Amino acid sequence: MARILITSALPYINGIKHLGNLVGSQLPADLYARYMRARGHEVMFICATDEHGTPAELAAAKAEQPVDIYCAEMHETQAALARGFKLSFDHFGRSSSARNHALTQHMAGRLNAAGLISEVSEKQVYSNADGRFLPDRYIEGTCPNCGYERARGDQCENCTKQLSPTDLLEPHSAISGSTDLEVRETKHLFLRQSTLRDQLDAWIDTKTDWPILTTSIAKKWLHDGDGLRDRGITRDLDWGIAVKDGDNDWPGMEGKVFYVWFDAPIEYIAATAEWADANGLNEAAWRRWWREDEGADDVRYVQFMGKDNVPFHTLSFPATQMGANFDGSEPWKMVDYIKSFNYLNYDGGQFSTSQGRGVFMDQALSILPSDYWRWWLLSHAPESNDSEFTWENFQASVNKDLADVLGNLVSRVTKFCRSKFSEAVPEGGEMGAPEAQLIADLTTRIRSYEALMEGMEVRKSAAELRAIWALGNEYLQEAAPWSVFKTDPAQAAMQIRLALNLIRLYAVLSKPFVPDAAAAMMAAMGADDWRWPEDISDALTTLPAGHEFTTPDVLFSKITDEQRDDWAARFSGVRA
């Protein structure tokens, strides 16, 4: 049994997330967590809401709420939606927690002791119209590298180039749109990550199994232009974690808070401590996942994220962890594998939380149950390149994969058995060559499915699972028990007995992708045996003759053309 720590990028607090956010981190992380649990491994799956920074303040102001109240309410909303999509977090925490405050301040103190923090007087953009300093991401303009017209002052989301606000062409305030900007002097703390460039470079070179998308972005940040830059880790804001040197005040930093991108990854660790607190466990319970000198040396740590988050997880957070262990006394568990994703686009454009474009998580669940969305999103995950959601593709995938292949098999087998035998597994007949071939084909496919799931090949795993479902349909089509029953009821009984066992097997295999449908299939078979199939022949005799089952309702309803057109029209505008 392995120990596997899984984190997905923290969803930001300023509103309900869209399907592009979901498939870029949380949903594939859940797929992997569910699969690894099914294989008997010890899994710790952690996520949290990312609650600090200017966007939280602005969203709260728009909602006419104090920022702490707004964040608390939005955390509950996002947690409820995560439950709605059946995301199986061991803990869904909050970056504003007391645990994260203390740990972020502790990390900053360690970095300062290591000589990795510098105090810099810098010139920062001040918006006269807004009456405030503008964080880098709240200055927009044209990227000097690629010409993208909505680049932010910290990074261009189009070409991922790291930027400074003064690099932008025709900059303006993203809050008010004002171009009445001036540069004023202020003091901030910087993480001297450039001094760790060679160490980070060598560490990344050891990750030979990482996706090309992940390593290429990291290497670009390390070596493009002047190479890795030092990074500001404080901001002039009211809402956030107060700047402290461990437990001590930091002279000259009064009234400032840590930059959200400094404290957010630390919340992975803090949220695991929150998990221990919530379950009445001691410090050792969470430290065994994160401290290599306290049990985490045998943990495999896997992160899931969209490509825009890769630089911070391959460079800044590892620099924090390395720096905190400058004297060897704090060996924090560092990531072993980063699964990164491209963007999911929406019907010819981009999903966008800030612009309200696309289908959002709450809207999706108001239309159809989560399994429909889980299946489409995972089977079209933007791994090797960007992918696009269209209503036509969604309808086709649901109708062909879920309704015609999986749902149809469950329906016709159970209904036929009920009408010709009873709602109990029929006895009689002996397996022959067709059944042996089915078992051989299933064994080959299932072993392939396992390898793909372990390798986090999301789309290929979905395709393999669909092929496993299709094998059952192909067998039934050729065996034709409905015809055989007329001349050899015992032979038909054997075929249906095999098919009923196949439904239970499909429930086990499908649970990581479509957990509700899997539970319905298992319940219909009157079983609760979720053992992973090692020997397929044995797995297909789990339900013995005489075992009672029920005929379930339709597993998946088809999407009609009228529904498709209605939804396409309904979501053609923007969310208010």
Side-chain angles (χ1 to χ4, degrees):
M1 181 178 73
R3 297 176 60 222
I4 303 168
L5 173 64
I6 302 169
T7 61
S8 63
L10 310 186
Y12 200 70
I13 198 69
N14 65 335
I16 291 166
K17 303 296 103 175
H18 56 66
L19 298 184
N21 295 132
L22 182 63
V23 76
S25 58
Q26 296 176 74
L27 187 53
D30 179 70
L31 178 76
Y32 186 63
R34 285 178 174 275
Y35 173 74
M36 285 301 173
R37 290 191 195 106
R39 299 308 305 274
H41 300 305
E42 184 183 3
V43 171
M44 178 61 66
F45 180 22
I46 292 294
C47 193
T49 38
D50 182 4
E51 300 189 10
H52 295 135
T54 304
E57 292 185 350
L58 295 174
K62 185 177 179 181
E64 299 182 340
Q65 288 182 300
V67 66
D68 57 335
I69 300 298
Y70 171 83
C71 288
E73 290 185 2
M74 190 52 66
H75 170 80
E76 287 305 314
T77 297
Q78 291 199 16
L81 288 170
R83 290 190 295 271
F85 275 93
K86 305 303 186 288
L87 303 179
S88 59
F89 301 126
D90 287 284
H91 188 72
F92 187 63
R94 301 182 62 188
S95 69
S96 62
S97 69
R99 280 286 195 176
N100 200 37
H101 277 246
L103 189 56
T104 297
Q105 291 164 343
H106 169 80
M107 288 291 203
R110 292 288 296 175
L111 292 167
N112 192 37
L116 290 170
I117 300 287
S118 58
E119 191 173 302
V120 177
S121 286
E122 64 170 359
K123 293 182 175 177
Q124 192 172 333
V125 175
Y126 186 89
S127 169
N128 289 302
D130 299 305
R132 63 184 298 163
F133 283 104
L134 294 180
D136 295 351
R137 63 181 285 122
Y138 270 76
I139 305 159
E140 290 185 350
T142 300
C143 174
N145 184 52
C146 71
Y148 180 60
E149 294 182 352
R150 298 200 63 178
R152 291 170 173 165
D154 58 349
Q155 182 184 4
C156 175
E157 66 178 22
N158 186 56
C159 68
T160 74
K161 185 172 180 62
Q162 186 178 6
L163 298 169
S164 293
T166 51
D167 295 333
L168 294 174
L169 307 177
E170 301 178 357
H172 61 268
S173 166
I175 302 170
S176 62
S178 173
T179 57
D180 184 13
L181 309 177
E182 63 180 67
V183 177
R184 295 186 181 180
E185 194 159 297
T186 185
K187 243 183 219 181
H188 282 294
L189 301 181
F190 273 64
L191 173 61
R192 298 177 60 213
Q193 58 185 20
S194 63
T195 64
L196 296 172
R197 186 177 74 168
D198 291 346
Q199 191 176 340
L200 289 163
D201 205 12
W203 173 68
I204 290 168
D205 282 341
T206 68
K207 308 300 182 183
T208 55
D209 62 336
W210 280 12
I212 292 171
L213 179 64
T214 301
T215 51
S216 63
I217 292 172
K219 288 290 187 177
K220 187 176 181 181
W221 276 54
L222 278 168
H223 299 295
D224 267 16
D226 297 329
L228 185 64
R229 302 185 193 182
D230 292 342
R231 190 81 182 168
I233 61 167
T234 58
R235 288 292 184 270
D236 291 296
L237 293 172
D238 297 323
W239 173 245
I241 297 174
V243 176
K244 283 197 165 187
D245 184 359
D247 295 329
N248 304 314
D249 291 335
W250 205 310
M253 291 294 119
E254 297 83 2
K256 297 181 189 289
V257 300
F258 285 110
Y259 178 33
V260 61
W261 257 112
F262 180 68
D263 80 74
I266 295 171
E267 169 61 12
Y268 295 140
I269 307 173
T272 316
E274 294 169 44
W275 159 82
D277 294 341
N279 288 280
L281 302 173
N282 60 20
E283 292 289 291
W286 71 265
R287 292 172 75 92
R288 67 188 285 267
W289 289 99
W290 283 104
R291 285 289 292 266
E292 292 192 335
D293 55 343
E294 298 181 40
D297 52 324
D298 67 347
V299 168
R300 175 167 166 77
Y301 178 19
V302 182
Q303 296 176 345
F304 288 79
M305 70 197 65
K307 62 184 177 183
D308 52 330
N309 288 333
V310 167
F312 300 98
H313 289 80
T314 54
L315 303 172
S316 298
F317 184 43
T320 297
Q321 292 180 293
M322 289 175 179
N325 190 37
F326 69 95
D327 58 1
S329 67
E330 289 195 9
W332 294 99
K333 177 62 189 176
M334 294 177 64
V335 67
D336 293 298
Y337 191 87
I338 296 179
K339 176 68 175 180
S340 55
F341 291 85
N342 287 285
Y343 295 135
L344 175 68
N345 294 318
Y346 177 73
D347 214 10
Q350 287 186 326
F351 276 95
S352 173
T353 299
S354 60
Q355 298 173 49
R357 188 173 196 281
V359 183
F360 290 73
M361 289 172 68
D362 58 339
Q363 296 169 331
L365 291 178
S366 73
I367 294 172
L368 288 168
S370 61
D371 279 352
Y372 292 71
W373 301 105
R374 287 177 65 102
W375 175 253
W376 189 91
L377 290 167
L378 291 167
S379 61
H380 293 77
E383 289 174 290
S384 57
N385 46 45
D386 291 353
S387 59
E388 182 170 13
F389 177 92
T390 68
W391 289 102
E392 291 80 6
N393 189 301
F394 179 62
Q395 177 192 30
S397 184
V398 166
N399 291 357
K400 291 177 182 176
D401 297 348
L402 298 181
D404 285 348
V405 182
L406 181 59
N408 183 51
L409 181 141
V410 174
S411 179
R412 64 177 174 166
V413 168
T414 53
K415 287 179 179 177
F416 177 77
C417 189
R418 179 177 62 184
S419 69
K420 299 301 183 185
F421 298 101
S422 68
E423 281 193 323
V425 177
E427 61 181 341
E430 296 294 332
M431 289 191 191
E435 291 71 39
Q437 186 61 54
L438 173 63
I439 289 167
D441 291 344
L442 282 169
T443 300
T444 299
R445 287 285 189 185
I446 290 169
R447 298 293 93 93
S448 173
Y449 177 59
E450 292 167 354
L452 291 168
M453 289 287 274
E454 285 163 13
M456 289 163 270
E457 297 279 356
V458 178
R459 290 178 76 147
K460 290 179 180 177
S461 296
E464 198 66 60
L465 180 59
R466 188 192 186 281
I468 290 167
W469 297 340
L471 283 175
N473 281 282
E474 290 161 9
Y475 167 76
L476 286 171
Q477 204 65 31
E478 292 172 13
W482 27 88
S483 297
V484 171
F485 179 80
K486 297 171 187 175
T487 58
D488 192 347
Q491 179 75 356
M494 176 276 295
Q495 294 166 341
I496 291 298
R497 184 167 65 251
L498 178 66
L500 290 167
N501 273 281
L502 202 55
I503 293 171
R504 189 206 67 85
L505 174 64
Y506 285 175
V508 175
L509 297 174
S510 306
K511 189 176 181 181
F513 280 90
V514 285
D516 285 347
M521 292 159 67
M522 185 66 79
M525 291 303 99
D528 192 31
D529 185 345
W530 293 97
R531 287 175 299 166
W532 193 263
E534 303 299 338
D535 184 306
I536 308 307
S537 183
D538 284 349
L540 290 176
T541 57
T542 302
L543 306 180
H547 178 90
E548 295 183 352
F549 68 90
T550 57
T551 303
D553 295 330
V554 173
L555 206 58
F556 292 101
S557 298
K558 286 194 173 185
I559 297 173
T560 66
D561 290 350
E562 291 75 20
Q563 286 175 310
R564 180 201 66 202
D565 293 343
D566 174 53
W567 295 335
R570 196 188 312 178
F571 298 104
S572 61
V574 296
R575 184 186 182 101

